[in-house]
Amino acid sequence: RNVRSTHLAFNDVNGCHIFNLDYSGDGVNYTGGAVPGHDTWVAGIIASRGWPGHETDIGAAPGCNVYSARIVSDLGNVGEQNLENAFSDLINNYNCRVFVIPLQFGDTADGSSDFTKIADYFAWNDNVILALAAGNINGGNMKITVFGDAYNGITTGTLVDEPNGFYSKVG
C-alpha cells in the first residue's frame, strides 16, 4: 500500500518528506490504522528522523524524500503496466534514482519473470539503483523470490534472530 506519512518518525519542520502515489487505480492507502503497516516500517528504516523519546532512532538516509508508489490493488492484483508506469513517472517526473522494492512474488525466480525484466530494464536504461528483497522463509527453507532475482539490483537479506539475542545466521 503506502506509507503513513503522519507517523512521528517523519515529522519535519519544513513539511512532510513522504509522498504517497497510486499506480494501482485503487487510491492512496496505508494499512494498519493507528499501527503502521509494512511500507511505513520500510520507510522508517530509510528515512526516519527520530521522534520524541526516540531521537536516535533515525533511518539510513534521514534527510531524503520518500516516494511511496502503490502498485498492488485492493484485491492483491498487480499488472506489469502498473510497475512500468510507476518506474517511468518516478524517474522522469520526480527524479527518483534509488528504488527500494520490498515487494516480492513467489513465481519462478530466475530473472525471467516480466516483473523482474521491467525492474532490470529501468535499472539498466535509466541508471537507477535497485535495492530488492531477497525472499522469505518458506517451510523453513530460504527461497529467493521475484524482484530478488534481478540482474541489475542489490538483493538484500536479513539476519535470523536467535534465542540468545545474537544474530548467528544470515537469512
Side-chain angles (χ1 to χ4, degrees), residues 1-6 20 28-33 35-37 40:
R1 307 267 173 146
N2 292 106
V3 175
R4 183 161 63 101
S5 59
T6 58
N20 287 311
V28 169
N29 186 9
Y30 58 85
T31 58
V35 178
T40 302

Side-chain angles (χ1 to χ4, degrees), residues 8-11 47-52 54-59:
L8 291 176
F10 307 122
N11 269 349
S48 172
R49 296 182 181 188
W51 64 95
H54 299 271
E55 288 80 7
T56 60
D57 293 339
I58 62 171

